[in-house]
């Protein structure tokens, strides 16, 4: 069903609700929050937390309906749905804003840019992160917060440890030119694909491998169809929580304030649980006995890092050299090391 048709159907239900005796003042404001991952992931749990806090803080005047696992929309569709107002809230991965024209967000995809969550938070929770979110406003979107997932690992049906191992391997990526460049730097063959299609594509051999934090790998059951997971932590994957600007600015000010408070608390929660969820997921993969977890030696890690950090210079013009430099300054990243 097209997004337009779905929206028209949703609008068609409204007169019935009114005829049934509901008045505007009684009916709660509904926020449809669509996302593509499982419920038991950092994003899935944070979305549920936000729904619960929003109901509490607005005393039931707002109802957040969370739709996980691409139940409403897949990656590309969900951004279109937000812009036309068919859903009000999303938390797409930062790697998915390029097609909207906000290519600066792909800075977060640069391999090895952040060594840990502390370095990352200096950017996402500081002025650089804030100014990036503001770039969404001309596109009819307000960026409310950053939610963490974690650091990505490579997976495939063959061990991927050295750049040579990647030659000709078909790797699923998100829609980010930086990730395309990352895979090409390794000699792999990148293929953009919606998250909801990855399991099947791995199962049927449409692609050979992929990259994701362990929480996504495990909850999408990718360990059933991938023999090896390289514990590389070579890049970050996290989210921007975004709302339709017209909807947000049209909310009564007291409601908006309560929702901002709910978002601040849900963000603290999201960023507290993310690391443990990923640590637990990798343990669960190990215990499943289905995927072998490969640890890199310091020399292997150094070789991979050397190959992959070349992507920073290759993508600097597209993302903005000044933005990249300002992040290096914040985190202490040294491109020569
Ligand atoms: C992916 O497409 O791999 C991720 O962006 C999914 C997600 O939202 O974590």
């Amino acid at each position: 069903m097209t997004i337009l048709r779905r929206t028209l159907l949703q609008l068609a239900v409204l007169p019935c609700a009114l005829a049934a005796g509901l008045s505007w003042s009684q009916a709660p404001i509904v926020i449809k929050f669509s996302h593509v991952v499982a419920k038991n992931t950092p994003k899935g749990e944070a979305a549920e937390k936000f729904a619960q806090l929003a109901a509490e803080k607005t005393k039931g005047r707002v109802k957040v309906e969370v739709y996980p696992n691409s139940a409403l929309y897949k990656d590309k569709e969900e951004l279109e749905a937000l812009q036309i107002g068919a859903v009000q809230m999303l938390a797409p991965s930062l790697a998915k804003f390029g097609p909207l024209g906000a290519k600066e967000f792909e800075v977060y995809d640069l391999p090895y840019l952040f060594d840990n969550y502390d370095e990352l938070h200096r950017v996402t929770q500081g002025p650089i992160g804030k100014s990036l979110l503001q770039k969404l406003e001309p596109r009819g979107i307000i960026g409310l917060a950053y939610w963490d997932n974690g650091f990505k690992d490579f997976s495939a049906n063959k061990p991927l440890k050295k750049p040579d191992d990647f030659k000709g391997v078909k790797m699923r990526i998100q829609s980010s030119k930086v990730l395309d460049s990352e895979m090409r730097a390794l000699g792999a063959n990148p293929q953009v694909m919606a998250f909801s299609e990855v399991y099947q594509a791995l199962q049927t051999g449409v692609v050979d491998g992929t990259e994701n934090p362990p929480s996504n790998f495990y909850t999408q059951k990718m360990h059933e169809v991938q023999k090896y997971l390289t514990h590389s932590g070579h890049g970050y994957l996290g989210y921007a929580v975004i709302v339709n600007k017209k909807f947000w600015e049209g909310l009564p000010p007291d409601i908006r304030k309560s929702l901002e408070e709910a978002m601040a608390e849900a963000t603290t929660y999201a960023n507290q649980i993310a690391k443990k969820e990923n640590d637990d997921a990798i343990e669960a993969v190990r215990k499943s006995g289905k995927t072998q977890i490969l640890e890199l030696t310091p020399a292997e890690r150094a070789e991979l890092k050397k190959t992959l950090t070349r992507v920073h210079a290759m993508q600097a013009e597209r993302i903005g050299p000044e933005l990249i430099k300002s992040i290096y300054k914040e985190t202490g990243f040294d491109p020569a090391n």
Side-chain angles (χ1 to χ4, degrees), residues 108-286:
Y108 292 109
D109 299 331
L110 290 174
Y112 294 104
L113 183 59
F114 306 105
D115 269 344
N116 51 51
Y117 287 98
D118 284 345
E119 285 186 9
L120 167 82
H121 291 161
R122 275 181 236 152
V123 176
T124 52
Q125 311 304 323
I128 301 174
K130 200 169 173 196
S131 78
L132 278 173
L133 290 180
Q134 281 162 358
K135 291 195 187 295
L136 296 172
E137 293 207 18
R139 294 163 178 97
I141 292 172
I142 292 189
L144 295 177
Y146 288 97
W147 285 357
D148 285 340
N149 190 335
F151 294 87
K152 293 175 291 182
D153 296 330
F154 292 115
S155 70
N157 281 327
K158 62 178 277 204
L160 299 173
K161 294 182 93 181
K162 293 191 269 305
D164 258 3
D165 300 333
F166 288 79
K167 292 261 157 3
V169 179
K170 283 180 280 170
M171 296 291 277
R172 178 268 171 175
I173 54 163
Q174 306 174 76
S175 58
S176 155
K177 292 277 187 280
V178 168
L179 298 180
D180 184 274
S181 189
E182 168 198 285
M183 292 299 180
R184 288 186 197 282
L186 292 165
N189 184 356
Q191 305 210 1
V192 174
M193 186 179 290
F195 186 65
S196 55
E197 287 159 18
V198 181
Y199 176 88
Q200 211 185 354
L202 290 170
Q203 191 184 38
T204 55
V206 169
V207 289
D208 305 314
T210 186
E211 57 165 19
N212 237 298
S215 59
N216 278 346
F217 185 82
Y218 182 66
T219 55
Q220 294 298 316
K221 301 191 178 6
M222 294 184 202
H223 59 290
E224 290 178 355
V225 289
Q226 294 279 265
K227 291 203 177 80
Y228 299 95
L229 182 81
T230 311
H231 201 195
S232 47
H234 60 275
Y236 173 71
L237 189 152
Y239 311 105
V241 187
I242 56 177
V243 279
N244 177 294
K245 184 171 189 292
K246 212 164 148 200
F247 168 80
W248 194 249
E249 290 177 346
L251 288 171
D254 62 323
I255 295 271
R256 198 166 53 234
K257 188 165 171 290
S258 301
L259 292 177
E260 278 164 2
E261 284 168 19
M263 184 53 66
E265 282 180 38
T267 299
T268 304
Y269 175 77
N271 298 350
Q272 264 165 7
I273 63 170
K275 181 171 184 311
K276 181 165 185 316
E277 296 253 330
N278 280 298
D279 290 348
D280 289 352
I282 203 135
E283 273 324 300
V285 172
R286 208 186 299 276

